[in-house]
């Protein structure tokens, strides 16, 4: 009953938000003219660089193919505008990509970036604009190439508990992503790798301002005494509310594969405040998580709030840290949890690039 009411309200809010979508306008003819006169010498007239060109051989760096739909779609418009304006070095890329802030006006930079984005049809790929900041608990909707370490320290009655998770996420196809997770727990009774999780995520609806995906993950305990494992499914949603505010939410359902234990539902949401286009900044966010076991004999409704910050570590932000404190609002059997997340978006380059 409560769930229906909450979902009713959430869907009204979501519908209202989707009507608010933001579109940008640009003069593509102007962009094309700028591209051909200023950029094509290195990037090629079609955006596909010619490795035999003496200019590029002199530079010693071969730019990526801007007309490749996967590459073109995955890089957010705003990041490319920053690269064109401030140059490759400022965004953790090669310094051979020159800054254009003195040579071109802001409008020309905007138009040429829009033109570069229009070089290839990317409609079959979720846009990189929707590759939003990784939350601590809310599931992300965007399919990505990422290696993530998540640590959690929890103060509770009895021995404190530590949980370490290593996630390997690899993009496949146009909108899919494979998931592999290793879960390690240390508490009073265990200090071991407890679960291996494998799964798949698929984005199935998107625009420049929202993305929705569905995922299924099979959690397999390493020790057969810990039951047969669990199937977890989730829906994840990401949305740009405005250039400064982003919203993400996920609904996760857990189904144990044996009759002995019970599953539950988890609804999580987060709002980030994005005050700057520079990736290497500190971005605050507030996350709220509600969990309800299917049968209350296995536990009670739990509500927690999780204030956190995202700290971009590299100039391009492809390595970033999240720090958060999760505070129970209802009567949980623990005091608070401290979360540390280190993420590396390996599609944007090696771990050591751009510090
Ligand atoms: C002197 C050669 C040169 C010129 C001129 C040049 N670029 Fe580049 N550009 C590069 C190189 C080299 C890279 C690759 C940087 C890297 O991957 O580290 C690059 C990278 C890029 C990228 C990709 C950023 C990413 O996410 O990897 C974009 C977009 C781009 N350039 C757009 C432009 C536009 C638009 C212009 C014209 C206004 C332009 N470039 C002019 C050499 C150039």
């Amino acid at each position: 009953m409560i769930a229906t009411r909450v979902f009713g309200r959430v869907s009204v809010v979501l519908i209202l938000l989707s009507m608010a979508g933001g579109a940008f306008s640009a003069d593509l003819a102007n962009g094309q003219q700028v591209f051909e006169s200023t950029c094509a010498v290195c990037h090629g007239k079609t955006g596909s660089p010619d490795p035999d060109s003496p200019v590029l051989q002199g530079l010693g760096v071969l730019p990526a193919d801007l007309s490749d739909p996967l590459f073109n779609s995955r890089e957010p418009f705003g990041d490319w505008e920053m690269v064109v304006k401030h140059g490759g070095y400022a965004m953790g890329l090669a310094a051979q990509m020159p800054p254009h802030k003195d040579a071109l006006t802001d409008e020309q930079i905007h138009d040429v970036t829009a033109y570069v984005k229009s070089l290839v049809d990317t409609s079959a790929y979720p846009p990189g604009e929707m590759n939003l900041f990784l939350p601590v608990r809310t599931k992300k909707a965007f399919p990505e190439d990422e290696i993530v370490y998540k640590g959690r320290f929890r103060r509770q009655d009895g021995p404190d508990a530590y949980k370490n998770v290593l996630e390997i996420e690899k993009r496949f196809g146009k909108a899919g992503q494979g998931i592999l997770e290793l879960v390690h727990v240390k508490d009073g009774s265990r200090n071991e790798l407890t679960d291996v999780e494998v799964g798949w995520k698929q984005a199935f609806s998107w625009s420049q301002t929202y993305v929705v995906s569905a995922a299924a993950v099979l959690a397999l305990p390493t020790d057969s005494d810990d039951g047969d494992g669990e199937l977890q499914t989730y829906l994840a949603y990401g949305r740009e509310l405005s250039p400064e505010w982003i919203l993400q939410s996920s609904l996760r359902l857990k189904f144990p594969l044996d009759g002995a234990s019970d599953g539950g539902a988890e609804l999580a949401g987060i709002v980030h405040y994005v005050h700057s286009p520079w990736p290497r900044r500190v971005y605050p966010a507030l996350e709220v998580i509600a969990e309800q076991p299917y049968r209350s004999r296995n536990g009670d409704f739990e509500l927690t709030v999780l204030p956190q910050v995202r700290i971009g570590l590299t100039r391009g932000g492809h390595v970033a840290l999240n720090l958060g404190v999760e505070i129970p609002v209802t009567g949980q059997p623990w005091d608070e949890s401290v979360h540390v997340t280190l993420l590396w978006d390996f599609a944007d380059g090696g771990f050591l690039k751009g510090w």
Side-chain angles (χ1 to χ4, degrees):
M1 274 277 284
I2 292 178
T4 338
R5 238 183 297 146
V6 170
F7 284 121
R9 266 181 222 164
V10 168
S11 50
V12 169
V13 171
L14 296 185
I15 290 165
L16 287 176
L17 292 176
S18 28
M19 297 188 327
F24 67 89
S25 61
D27 182 341
L28 289 181
N30 186 37
Q32 177 171 12
Q33 197 243 313
V34 174
F35 187 80
E36 287 173 1
S37 60
T38 316
C39 325
V41 56
C42 292
H43 288 283
K45 198 163 183 277
T46 59
S48 178
D50 171 10
D52 297 328
S53 112
V55 178
L56 291 186
Q57 288 183 350
L59 277 185
V61 186
L62 185 67
D65 183 354
L66 300 175
S67 67
D68 172 71
L70 175 61
F71 178 67
N72 189 300
S73 67
R74 80 187 321 156
E75 301 302 329
F77 183 95
D79 284 9
W80 272 8
E81 206 170 13
M82 293 286 285
V83 171
V84 177
K85 188 167 184 176
H86 301 284
Y89 179 82
M91 293 292 279
L93 299 171
Q96 285 90 333
M97 164 65 198
H100 291 88
K101 57 178 186 300
D102 298 328
L104 300 174
T105 66
D106 281 355
E107 201 183 343
Q108 284 174 315
I109 290 172
H110 188 77
D111 290 347
V112 75
T113 308
Y115 176 70
V116 170
K117 276 273 165 192
S118 76
L119 285 172
V120 57
D121 177 9
T122 54
S123 53
Y125 298 79
E129 285 73 9
M130 290 297 104
N131 191 352
L132 305 170
F133 291 159
L134 181 70
V136 170
R137 301 255 333 246
T138 307
K139 296 291 166 186
K140 244 183 104 160
F142 193 79
E144 60 204 330
D145 288 318
E146 218 159 66
I147 293 180
V148 182
Y149 162 76
K150 287 186 167 179
R152 188 189 76 189
F153 164 71
R154 179 166 276 183
R155 274 207 314 137
Q156 56 189 18
D157 286 347
D160 296 334
Y162 298 83
K163 185 178 173 191
N164 298 298
V165 181
L166 185 68
E167 297 182 10
I168 300 167
E169 307 183 324
K170 175 85 187 76
R171 199 160 163 174
F172 290 102
K174 293 180 173 142
Q177 180 210 288
I179 303 165
L180 175 66
E181 293 186 22
L182 305 176
V183 183
H184 170 266
V185 172
K186 178 178 184 298
D187 57 20
S189 56
R190 293 170 297 180
N191 180 6
E192 60 187 12
L193 185 73
T194 57
D195 289 280
V196 174
E197 304 187 358
V198 286
W200 184 264
K201 180 165 84 181
Q202 185 76 33
F204 61 87
S205 175
W206 58 77
S207 75
Q208 289 293 315
T209 53
Y210 82 89
V211 59
V212 191
S213 63
V217 177
L218 197 56
L220 301 165
T222 52
D223 187 341
S224 55
D225 291 348
D226 292 337
D228 296 337
E230 192 174 68
L231 174 68
Q232 306 174 356
T233 58
Y234 62 82
L235 276 175
Y237 175 78
R239 161 120 223 147
E240 185 188 280
L241 302 176
S242 75
E244 287 83 32
W245 296 96
I246 55 180
L247 167 79
Q248 297 176 78
S249 64
S250 60
L251 172 65
R252 184 156 68 137
L253 304 176
K254 301 178 198 175
F255 306 100
L257 300 178
D258 50 42
S261 47
D262 194 10
E266 174 199 278
L267 182 64
I270 184 166
V271 174
H272 272 97
Y273 176 49
V274 188
H275 52 83
S276 161
W278 290 100
R280 192 157 66 176
R281 290 286 181 278
V282 178
Y283 294 98
L286 186 65
E287 192 170 12
V288 178
I289 305 105
E291 283 185 81
Q292 175 67 56
Y294 298 136
R295 279 174 276 164
S296 54
R297 69 179 163 80
N298 290 300
D300 294 322
F301 174 74
E302 289 191 355
L303 186 69
T304 62
V305 292
L306 209 171
Q308 61 197 266
V309 286
R310 159 163 175 133
I311 307 166
L313 297 180
T314 50
R315 289 194 298 277
H318 81 304
V319 178
L321 192 66
N322 255 21
L323 302 175
V325 180
E326 186 170 5
I327 304 156
V329 177
T330 46
Q332 275 90 325
W334 45 276
D335 296 337
E336 77 264 318
S337 300
V338 176
H339 293 264
V340 178
T341 305
L342 181 68
L343 70 99
W344 166 34
D345 183 344
F346 61 84
D348 278 351
F351 188 84
L352 296 176
K353 182 173 153 185
W355 285 77

